[in-house]
Amino acid sequence: MKKFIFYIAMLFILGIVAYKLFFYFDKKSEQKDIIKNEAITRLSEEELSKIEDGDFILRRGFGFFSNYISKELNSGSIDVTHAGILIKRNDSIYVVHSLSSDVTDIDGLQLQPLKEFLKYSFPNKIIITRAKNCDKNMGMQISQLAQKYLAMHIPFDHKGDFDDDSKFFCTEMIWKILEKDLHCVTLPTEAEARKKFFFSMTPMYDTQYFDIKINQYDIKNK
């Protein structure tokens, strides 16, 4: 019995070590790509001028984990891996988004200058969307709700429980605001369909829910 417990404990420890090592090397890989691409402009002045308060930004990130998301959670030529809400403050633009403490110093919601957020994106792999029928008032509401949750220090949803509003992964916050706060979208309610919906990036650029304001994938493929 003691040997069995010992082996279980060792397997548990090895599992934790392997988990930590994966994200350590993932971060190293990400940093290499950031340095390699740091001189490339991600959004032109014309594109920046199209951004409104409360818009959503999607990016294709670097690293092994992003590679998995890009292939498994998208459709067609689009391979975005992360999403956030754009906030305009005076003449500056910020992003409210949720990241795990495995990849950043803050676990959960954080505010980041757009310029910094874009460093972590592949060039020419950015999409900016706006909620369907969204006027300036609705955009302001989205922005205010994002900042409200930011002030609450909502942690990252490591378990992926998309109906637990006490924690958010990146797209979960966006759907929480649109579905439960503003009641401006109708999402699947059946358990399996809802799970499939939330564990996918594809709905984030579905024109049933959003107007596409900037799509660099279209430019790249022309």
Side-chain angles (χ1 to χ4, degrees), residues 121-134:
S121 175
F122 267 92
N124 300 316
K125 293 203 170 191
I126 295 164
I127 296 175
I128 292 177
T129 68
R130 189 169 300 155
K132 213 76 175 173
N133 303 313
C134 180

Side-chain angles (χ1 to χ4, degrees), residues 58-120:
L58 317 176
R59 76 179 183 204
R60 182 3 176 141
F62 302 118
F64 307 127
F65 190 61
S66 288
N67 290 343
Y68 171 81
I69 295 174
S70 71
K71 295 172 184 174
E72 301 298 327
L73 304 187
N74 286 279
S75 61
S77 61
I78 293 174
D79 58 355
V80 292
T81 60
H82 187 56
I85 298 177
L86 290 157
I87 308 297
K88 297 188 82 172
R89 291 182 176 176
N90 300 319
D91 295 326
S92 299
I93 305 174
Y94 298 86
V95 182
V96 176
H97 61 130
S98 186
L99 287 171
S100 164
S101 56
D102 292 315
V103 297
T104 184
D105 294 334
I106 301 171
D107 187 72
L109 288 187
Q110 47 204 274
L111 182 71
Q112 192 173 35
L114 175 59
K115 186 176 180 180
E116 185 68 20
F117 180 89
L118 293 174
K119 286 182 182 178
Y120 295 81

Side-chain angles (χ1 to χ4, degrees), residues 28 78 93 120 127 184 189 197 205:
K28 287 287 186 183
I78 293 174
I93 305 174
Y120 295 81
I127 296 175
C184 63
T189 55
F197 182 94
Y205 45 89

Side-chain angles (χ1 to χ4, degrees), residues 184-200:
C184 63
V185 296
T186 301
L187 304 186
T189 55
E190 189 273 324
E192 194 57 37
R194 193 166 175 82
K195 179 180 177 182
K196 184 177 179 181
F197 182 94
F198 274 87
F199 293 155
S200 174

